[in-house]
Amino acid sequence: MHSIEAKQTQLKSILKNSVLERGERAESDAREIAIRQARLFQLRKEMESEILESLVVLSWYPLVRDPIYSASNPAPSDVSGFKTHLRYFRPSDYDDLIEERTVNDLCGYVLCPKPGRKVAGIGKYKITPSGDIVKREDYERWCSPACAKRALFVKVQLDERAAWDRGRNSDGQIDLLEEDRSKDSEADRAARAMRDLRVDEQRKAAKDYAALARERGSYGVGDSNDAKVKVVLREKEINAPMPEDTSGRSDHDHLLIEGRKFDLPLRPREG
């Protein structure tokens, strides 16, 4: 009897200790998760601040304004600074940079010192010399089609992931369209090929995620514009009815039935 009671007491003690251990472990896990989330949030704030500072700096590039340098042959210091500031950018951040440079009356390509083109008039569209019809705002972002091509070449290399998801150790290597790569080693070419492949995979994954989100009826941060429906209210114009023309009528038209006139019988007058 005493043996059974001792075993029951031992079993209760084991269960109690197990419950306490699970509770302590759950509390410890929750604390670690909270600390990890706080660190991630702090990292996000710091990197967003760095991106904003880089955007402001690059909006006034190039820093070296010497006639011997141009958009196709920029100063090495400007190239180095451009790549350094751009390492945490996403394509959306790069679009913001182009808009900021447009406000500063500069070509959208960061390494170009020229102002953007200006279109006379107030029309929303522009017919280019090649005969294409483009939006005025798109046309005025660049000083030339060559700079638009240079800027697009940079944009397609940017990582779709947020900077805080990549971490500070991200290489962020960017190539320029007209950069001399004749001195690159075999390792450099292999690294560039791997980077291009990774960017393509990330871009495809982002598109697949966006498509899946649309199927489920939810939208991510990048799809917020797609989720909106533009509603335009216009007052309906109501035309007043035209007055009926009665010039060709007579006092006996009400007696006509299918074009024939019938006389009503006269009522005898009461004496």
Side-chain angles (χ1 to χ4, degrees):
M1 187 70 178
H2 293 289
S3 177
I4 295 175
E5 292 178 354
K7 288 183 179 180
Q8 290 178 346
T9 303
Q10 184 181 6
L11 180 60
K12 290 180 180 179
S13 177
I14 293 174
L15 293 175
K16 183 177 180 181
N17 292 335
S18 178
V19 171
L20 291 175
E21 289 177 0
R22 285 201 300 269
E24 292 175 357
R25 187 163 57 250
E27 183 178 354
S28 176
D29 292 343
R31 184 173 181 274
E32 290 180 2
I33 292 173
I35 293 175
R36 187 164 58 250
Q37 291 294 332
R39 289 175 178 171
L40 180 60
F41 183 71
Q42 181 64 28
L43 176 63
R44 176 172 179 172
K45 287 179 59 179
E46 292 175 356
M47 301 195 79
E48 284 180 341
S49 178
E50 288 186 27
I51 292 172
L52 181 59
E53 291 177 1
S54 296
L55 190 149
V56 174
V57 172
L58 293 176
S59 66
W60 294 104
Y61 257 54
L63 301 180
V64 180
R65 304 292 180 94
D66 195 294
I68 64 174
Y69 298 118
S70 63
S72 59
N73 181 35
S77 59
D78 285 334
V79 173
S80 177
F82 176 44
K83 293 182 177 182
T84 300
H85 285 293
L86 209 64
R87 67 188 185 278
Y88 295 142
F89 273 46
R90 287 186 292 179
S92 58
D93 301 320
Y94 192 71
D95 290 336
D96 293 339
L97 172 60
I98 294 174
E99 291 295 333
E100 192 68 21
R101 289 182 62 84
T102 303
V103 173
N104 294 341
D105 292 329
L106 289 172
C107 175
Y109 182 52
V110 176
L111 297 176
C112 179
K114 297 180 181 179
R117 295 170 291 191
K118 296 297 181 183
V119 178
I122 58 174
K124 293 184 178 181
Y125 294 90
K126 163 70 178 177
I127 301 178
T128 63
S130 60
D132 297 328
I133 300 177
V134 297
K135 289 185 177 180
R136 174 176 180 164
E137 57 185 12
D138 295 337
Y139 184 82
E140 292 183 341
R141 284 183 182 141
W142 321 102
C143 69
S144 65
C147 274
K149 186 176 181 180
R150 295 182 184 110
L152 181 60
F153 184 81
V154 172
K155 180 180 178 180
V156 297
Q157 301 176 65
L158 299 178
D159 201 326
E160 295 281 352
R161 295 175 300 167
W164 45 91
D165 291 336
R166 287 176 269 163
R168 292 188 177 276
N169 296 326
S170 175
D171 54 1
Q173 183 64 35
I174 298 295
D175 295 327
L176 304 182
L177 179 61
E178 295 151 327
E179 192 171 11
D180 183 14
R181 304 185 187 90
S182 59
K183 298 180 181 179
D184 288 353
S185 63
E186 192 65 28
D188 294 334
R189 297 189 186 95
R192 184 178 295 107
M194 290 296 295
R195 186 181 69 249
D196 294 342
L197 179 62
R198 185 174 65 250
V199 170
D200 292 339
E201 291 176 350
Q202 292 166 357
R203 189 172 291 112
K204 183 179 182 301
K207 290 181 179 179
D208 293 342
Y209 176 79
L212 180 61
R214 292 189 185 95
E215 290 180 2
R216 294 178 175 177
S218 60
Y219 296 87
V221 176
D223 296 330
S224 58
N225 292 332
D226 297 336
K228 297 179 181 178
V229 177
K230 185 177 181 180
V231 179
V232 179
L233 299 179
R234 293 189 179 92
E235 185 177 356
K236 184 178 180 181
E237 296 182 1
I238 301 177
N239 297 324
M242 297 294 293
E244 189 176 0
D245 185 12
T246 60
S247 59
R249 291 187 177 183
S250 66
D251 296 337
H252 303 289
D253 284 349
H254 64 285
L255 300 176
L256 296 176
I257 299 177
E258 295 183 356
R260 301 182 64 181
K261 181 179 178 182
F262 293 86
D263 294 330
L264 295 177
L266 297 177
R267 294 182 180 180
R269 296 181 179 180
E270 296 180 358

